[in-house]
Amino acid sequence: MIEKNHMATYAVIGDPIDHSLSPNIHSAAFRELNLEHSYIAYRIPKGELEEGIEALKKIKIAGFNVTIPHKVEMMKFLDKTDESCSIIGAVNTVTNDNGTLKGYNTDMDGFLDPIKKKEIQIKGRKILLLGAGGAARAIVAGFAKEHAASITIANRTLENAKKLAMFSEQVGLKSKYVKIDEVGGTAKDYDIIVNATSVGLKNEPSPISLEGISSNTIVYDIIYMPMNTDFLKKAKEKGAKIIFGYEMLLGQAVRAFEIWHGMEAPYNAMKRALLGGV
Ligand code: ATR
């Protein structure tokens, strides 16, 4: 066990990184608990990850978050991996214990967190997942863990959907895959619909039609900026229960905080920082 440093430095690495909300969220938590730590955003371009990590070790970084484009490549630089990270094959949270780096993936727990808080049952439910990238993989692992009945993966590139469907079967979740433009009017056949594509980041229209869904449908967008995507607006119009992307962001940050600091995270202070943009 390392001696706890009272003025430790944490970071988020990625590229682009200047719009990351993680420094706000974690700094708010430190203020709330009177901790003297700091949390910085550090831009590491693609291809420069190894040098970047050496630099972080030199400043004795206590821990860091990893975001696009390094979540998968970072796996190579870990000394230890938590199960969450080895199953998903990507890392978003790292601890540094005197130069020994251990990786975790808090995206899955972060994704599940708002569903659990709202007491929504996943077990036995039919899922439609849009997208087949890194985030979608953590989501599939989450639905498998919670025993959903089946998942349909809809993606622009069918080959990526097929790969993710195979992963789903490996982790015990029955799956199908389709091209996203072939979803047509089938959204109403599902209990939970999740957008894990990047469609909406630039205010694009919803990637699928939500015709026929009802107040029993759960619609979850993992995009948090903008908060009200067209996908969620359309879902709201139909009276569906919606879950915002910021709720997942908050969930993964809370989990990372608890891994690093071994204490309960100040959820409300972190939420205020996120929504108030403090
Ligand atoms: P993340 O780590 O956030 O999951 P990613 O791995 O780059 O990011 O995945 C982005 C997802 O958005 C993919 O499913 C991608 O589809 P492809 O597999 O076809 O690339 C999807 N996506 C990106 N732009 C899209 C678009 N214009 N229309 C539909 N899907 C799109």
Side-chain angles (χ1 to χ4, degrees), residues 22-35:
S22 294
N24 288 348
I25 305 173
H26 286 277
S27 300
F30 299 156
R31 274 198 306 277
E32 180 74 12
L33 299 176
N34 289 317
L35 299 170

Side-chain angles (χ1 to χ4, degrees), residues 68 131-135 155-157 160 196-199:
I68 290 169
N155 197 48
R156 178 179 59 180
T157 310
N160 295 341
T197 71
S198 46
V199 180

Side-chain angles (χ1 to χ4, degrees), residues 206-227:
S206 171
I208 59 161
S209 158
L210 293 173
E211 213 40 60
I213 66 165
S214 71
S215 57
N216 295 323
T217 316
I218 316 292
V219 178
Y220 191 162
D221 200 337
I222 70 162
I223 289 176
Y224 56 84
M225 190 78 86
M227 189 166 116

Side-chain angles (χ1 to χ4, degrees), residues 121-258:
Q121 193 188 316
I122 293 177
K123 193 171 176 201
R125 294 288 182 88
K126 284 182 74 180
I127 316 293
L128 174 61
L129 173 64
L130 313 178
R137 206 171 150 93
I139 292 168
V140 167
F143 281 126
K145 180 169 169 244
E146 300 297 324
H147 307 289
S150 63
I151 194 163
T152 298
I153 297 159
N155 197 48
R156 178 179 59 180
T157 310
L158 194 62
E159 191 53 32
N160 295 341
K162 184 180 175 183
K163 279 189 196 138
L164 188 57
M166 281 164 63
F167 168 71
S168 180
E169 297 281 340
Q170 278 163 19
V171 291
L173 177 56
K174 216 173 100 189
S175 67
K176 282 195 284 198
Y177 58 94
V178 293
K179 266 186 85 94
I180 198 162
D181 47 17
E182 283 163 13
V183 169
T186 62
K188 62 179 184 315
D189 301 338
Y190 298 91
D191 302 307
I192 304 178
I193 304 171
V194 180
N195 177 38
T197 71
S198 46
V199 180
L201 271 175
K202 295 180 191 147
N203 283 308
E204 301 96 324
S206 171
I208 59 161
S209 158
L210 293 173
E211 213 40 60
I213 66 165
S214 71
S215 57
N216 295 323
T217 316
I218 316 292
V219 178
Y220 191 162
D221 200 337
I222 70 162
I223 289 176
Y224 56 84
M225 190 78 86
M227 189 166 116
N228 276 297
T229 56
D230 184 58
F231 175 69
L232 287 184
K233 279 188 209 156
K234 295 251 160 68
K236 219 181 214 168
E237 282 165 18
K238 305 278 179 221
K241 196 170 177 58
I242 64 171
I243 305 179
F244 292 102
Y246 83 79
E247 297 178 76
M248 172 175 174
L249 180 69
L250 195 55
Q252 66 75 28
V254 161
R255 182 80 194 100
F257 184 96
E258 292 174 352

Side-chain angles (χ1 to χ4, degrees), residues 20-116:
S20 170
L21 296 171
S22 294
N24 288 348
I25 305 173
H26 286 277
S27 300
F30 299 156
R31 274 198 306 277
E32 180 74 12
L33 299 176
N34 289 317
L35 299 170
E36 289 180 81
H37 304 317
S38 49
Y39 188 109
I40 57 170
Y42 179 34
R43 189 175 77 89
I44 300 182
K46 202 172 170 68
E48 294 177 27
L49 185 58
E50 189 164 13
E51 299 92 302
I53 291 165
E54 281 313 309
L56 287 173
K57 282 186 174 173
K58 269 198 192 113
I59 65 160
K60 297 196 172 10
I61 198 84
F64 54 97
N65 283 131
V66 183
T67 187
I68 290 169
H70 304 304
K71 282 188 180 185
V72 174
E73 207 197 341
M74 183 64 215
M75 295 289 288
K76 286 198 294 223
F77 302 103
L78 298 172
D79 303 295
K80 295 180 183 172
T81 48
D82 178 69
E83 199 191 1
S84 57
C85 170
S86 42
I87 290 177
I88 298 164
V91 52
N92 79 329
T93 302
V94 178
T95 57
N96 179 16
D97 184 356
N98 289 317
T100 300
L101 301 183
K102 181 170 179 183
Y104 297 78
N105 192 311
T106 70
D107 283 338
M108 183 182 86
D109 286 341
F111 173 78
L112 294 174
D113 186 62
I115 301 181
K116 289 185 175 168

